[in-house]
Amino acid sequence: MHEPAQDSKPVGGKARGTVVRIRGSVVDVEFPGDELPAINDALMVESDGDARLVVEVREHFDRRTVRGVAMENTAGMRRGATVWPTGGPIQAPVGEQVLGRLINVIGTPIDRLGAFASDVMRWPIHRGSPSINRQDHQREVFRTGIKVADLLAPLARGGKAGMFGGAGVGKTVLIMELIRSTVEKYSGISVFAGIGERSREGHELLAELRRSGVLERTALIFGQMNEPPGARWRVGMTALTVAEYFRDVMRRDVLLLMDNVFRFVQAGSEVSGMLGRLPSRVGYQPTLATEIAELEERIASVAGASVTAIQAVYVPADDFTDPAVVETFRHLDSSVVLSRDMAAQGLYPAIDPLASNSVLLDPRVVGADHYAVAEEARRTIARYKELQEIISLLGVEELSAEDRRTVARARRLERFLTQPFMVTEQFTGIAGKSVAVEDTIKGCGAILSGEGDDWAESSFYMVGTFEDARQKELATRKG
């Protein structure tokens, strides 16, 4: 059991309760009299002497009983255990002390670096989003250094972006690259929420942040895959609370990274089932849209300080019509969709240039040149996709000269939009590249104008700029 994350004594003279029923992570607590803790309030359950287990109230079962969800494993809890109401929601530590630290959903450090000081400030994890008149809706592009994202699905500073993809197409690697490439040149604070993360991925992320020297500007909040659904369900709220403190009190820009939003939905579905609610479409909880909105609508920017959110979203069975995926799409400014077909061809990052989009891809925001090159690149690749069936049946020789030229340029574009990542250097042996959007626009424009028509396709694969491709082509010819 962890040490208590907040004061375990009753608040305001409220009476203590007693555990009357335990079913997995669901705990029923009876209180004397009619005064019950509010929904979302945290309760402390005595277990094994001094240790405390946190339970969040979800339902008022009857006039004397509340039903709650445990944030930790209930093994060892017994009926008759004493329960102390805390008088409010779970409290998360916030401020400078959480930077460089790894904490869990209730704010307890899990990085073996010791507990927080007793004077650390704490905020409740259940908070409203800023009012409309406080929010800042200016559109400014957030540069990532990833060619295909910057060109075709530019991210918004102070906006929300989603990385959508099935299993094994590179979502987590893309998120780690974004951390590495943006945090190093980013002056703000980073908050990472690991929702249903594998412990291996968490360890790799921690090691990568430490190696790149950005850990001291990053707060890590984890609800791991082996933890109870309550912990995975609420860890995103804890991370948001940490980010909101830096935005509202310290007036700092915050980069919020979440991996994986689908695990948040999955945990909510488990909690809903344990509470006895009837499932909705495809077995999801009936409150699916509300739960996603409660999380997403808190991600907002105010005048002078922004929260930029980049979220990985698992797509079950590559089905983009899944209700959880559809509901998440509704809240985003930029959607980066990863393609299994491209991953199978070794075109990494496997970002689908046709399915990915952004509200910022507008000539008034990104400029006329950027918009024109992006649209022409999309048209060229779309025409190539249309011709693929003919090519597979009859061969490329049966196409018209213009279509053959379009196919050749589309294939070079696809390869030029691949990129070696810094976080994969140790596996590929290729030095990672971060490319300015101006160089990406220039390179794609050169390919579309036919400048590389007589070069080998391989010269464009896994390079940074168009000049890098030129050097690779010259080296190949000399060799």
Side-chain angles (χ1 to χ4, degrees):
M1 291 289 177
H2 297 298
E3 290 299 315
Q6 55 199 74
D7 191 358
S8 58
K9 294 178 182 176
V11 173
K14 292 190 177 183
R16 63 187 181 185
T18 305
V19 173
V20 293
R21 187 167 183 260
I22 306 159
R23 186 180 60 187
S25 294
V26 174
V27 181
D28 289 358
V29 181
E30 186 177 274
F31 288 88
D34 293 340
E35 190 177 349
L36 297 179
I39 301 295
N40 290 336
D41 270 11
L43 309 176
M44 290 290 184
V45 182
E46 283 192 5
S47 180
D48 297 332
D50 290 335
R52 304 286 190 269
L53 186 142
V54 179
V55 172
E56 183 180 278
V57 177
R58 296 308 315 146
E59 292 178 0
H60 286 183
F61 194 62
D62 56 38
R63 291 178 66 87
R64 299 184 61 178
T65 310
V66 298
R67 177 162 287 175
V69 176
M71 296 294 118
E72 299 164 273
N73 198 320
T74 55
M77 186 189 292
R78 58 178 176 78
R79 291 176 64 184
T82 301
V83 180
W84 304 98
T86 64
I90 295 168
Q91 303 275 328
V94 294
E96 296 277 1
Q97 291 189 44
V98 300
L99 295 178
R101 301 301 301 272
L102 176 61
I103 63 175
N104 64 11
V105 65
I106 59 174
T108 304
I110 51 175
D111 53 9
R112 302 180 184 175
L113 296 178
F116 289 117
S118 58
D119 62 347
V120 66
M121 186 173 290
R122 292 181 182 273
W123 275 15
I125 67 168
H126 292 283
R127 301 167 53 79
S129 59
S131 59
I132 292 293
N133 60 355
R134 284 188 61 222
Q135 293 187 24
D136 183 7
H137 296 286
Q138 286 187 347
R139 294 285 170 83
E140 185 182 342
V141 178
F142 183 88
R143 305 297 187 196
T144 66
I146 297 173
K147 288 186 288 189
V148 63
D150 285 346
L151 179 71
L152 300 173
L155 276 54
R157 182 178 292 275
K160 295 181 276 260
M163 309 283 176
F164 293 84
V169 294
K171 294 183 303 300
T172 300
V173 171
L174 192 54
I175 284 278
M176 288 180 68
E177 180 67 12
L178 282 164
I179 293 173
R180 178 73 180 265
S181 63
T182 59
V183 174
E184 284 184 351
K185 60 187 177 186
Y186 187 73
S187 60
I189 299 294
S190 299
V191 177
F192 182 87
I195 306 173
E197 281 281 274
R198 300 173 185 87
S199 53
R200 169 185 59 79
E201 290 174 343
H203 177 75
E204 288 174 358
L205 176 65
L206 192 61
E208 179 64 33
L209 292 175
R210 191 172 281 131
R211 188 163 50 245
S212 57
V214 297
L215 184 59
E216 65 273 8
R217 298 204 313 277
T218 306
L220 299 152
I221 299 92
F222 270 72
Q224 292 176 192
M225 193 175 273
N226 63 326
E227 293 191 55
R232 289 178 272 123
W233 191 38
R234 290 303 188 216
V235 70
M237 299 292 191
T238 303
L240 270 170
T241 303
V242 172
E244 285 166 345
Y245 178 86
F246 286 114
R247 178 195 68 195
D248 295 339
V249 176
M250 303 190 70
R251 314 301 291 172
R252 301 284 295 276
D253 287 344
V254 182
L255 178 62
L256 175 65
L257 300 123
M258 302 174 78
D259 188 8
N260 185 304
V261 173
F262 179 78
R263 304 291 178 208
F264 160 75
V265 174
Q266 201 173 41
S269 180
E270 290 180 51
V271 168
S272 181
M274 290 189 302
L275 292 173
R277 295 172 183 156
L278 289 173
S280 183
R281 271 198 313 151
V282 200
Y284 286 113
Q285 60 270 43
T287 52
L288 172 68
T290 303
E291 288 177 13
I292 291 177
E294 283 176 351
L295 182 76
E296 296 288 351
E297 290 305 305
R298 280 178 61 182
I299 303 170
S301 300
V302 297
S306 66
V307 175
T308 304
I310 301 173
Q311 311 164 34
V313 185
Y314 168 68
V315 180
D318 292 342
D319 178 13
F320 284 87
T321 64
D322 185 272
V325 177
V326 172
E327 284 298 331
T328 306
F329 261 120
R330 297 181 199 277
H331 296 274
L332 303 176
D333 301 298
S334 306
S335 300
V336 176
V337 177
L338 286 95
S339 159
R340 189 169 301 283
D341 288 342
M342 293 183 69
Q345 295 175 57
L347 300 174
Y348 288 105
I351 296 173
D352 189 329
L354 303 181
S356 302
N357 60 75
S358 170
V359 297
L360 269 67
L361 193 58
D362 184 309
R364 293 168 297 178
V365 178
V366 297
D369 288 347
H370 183 160
Y371 180 77
V373 169
E375 287 301 294
E376 182 62 24
R378 274 219 178 98
R379 273 196 297 272
T380 302
I381 293 171
R383 181 60 180 158
Y384 170 45
K385 300 296 183 190
E386 290 170 8
L387 295 169
Q388 274 186 325
E389 190 172 344
I390 297 172
I391 294 168
S392 62
L393 290 172
L394 304 175
V396 74
E397 295 79 12
E398 296 301 314
L399 300 178
S400 67
E402 184 179 346
D403 281 344
R404 283 202 301 273
R405 186 165 56 247
T406 298
V407 167
R409 290 176 184 174
R411 288 179 61 85
R412 282 162 175 78
L413 269 176
E414 284 187 333
R415 279 146 186 78
F416 180 66
L417 291 175
T418 62
Q419 188 170 344
F421 281 171
M422 287 178 271
V423 295
T424 58
E425 283 180 15
Q426 56 186 319
F427 307 111
T428 62
I430 305 172
K433 305 259 186 195
S434 180
V435 183
V437 69
E438 294 79 12
D439 290 331
T440 303
I441 295 166
K442 182 180 174 183
C444 290
I447 292 169
L448 290 166
S449 67
E451 194 171 330
D453 283 358
D454 58 344
W455 298 3
E457 288 181 2
S458 58
S459 297
F460 296 92
Y461 182 67
M462 286 295 169
V463 296
T465 64
F466 190 76
E467 285 306 310
D468 293 339
R470 190 192 303 278
Q471 295 304 318
K472 192 172 178 182
E473 173 70 13
L474 290 173
T476 304
R477 291 183 179 184
K478 286 179 183 176

